[in-house]
Amino acid sequence: MPDPESPERPTQDAPDESDAARRRRRAQFLRELAEARELRARVQPRRAKAARLRHALRMRTFRW
């Protein structure tokens, strides 16, 4: 179990982490997440299609 006080996971009040570095890490995470979703869609096309249909249904029934 990782130590919550470990230096590899900076807390919210860590002033040394720049905003640009945080945005870079977030962009990298989102790229990897999209890549993982694409891989899952290729490996499990039926499940991916069902997920797309469910998402489309949710979006159609969502009220602004």
Side-chain angles (χ1 to χ4, degrees):
M1 183 127 183
D3 183 19
E5 298 295 321
S6 67
E8 60 192 44
R9 185 180 173 122
T11 58
Q12 187 70 1
D13 53 5
D16 57 343
E17 183 184 20
S18 69
D19 202 31
R22 185 186 63 79
R23 282 196 301 267
R24 270 195 305 274
R25 280 190 302 109
R26 183 175 186 274
Q28 176 68 27
F29 170 76
L30 292 175
R31 278 193 300 270
E32 290 174 358
L33 184 63
E35 183 181 341
R37 283 186 179 140
E38 290 171 8
L39 176 63
R40 192 177 344 158
R42 284 196 306 269
V43 172
Q44 300 175 333
R46 186 181 300 161
R47 186 175 293 179
K49 181 179 178 183
R52 276 196 309 274
L53 292 173
R54 280 194 305 273
H55 180 70
L57 182 61
R58 272 198 314 272
M59 294 308 285
R60 277 198 308 267
T61 57
F62 182 76
R63 295 193 179 222
W64 298 99

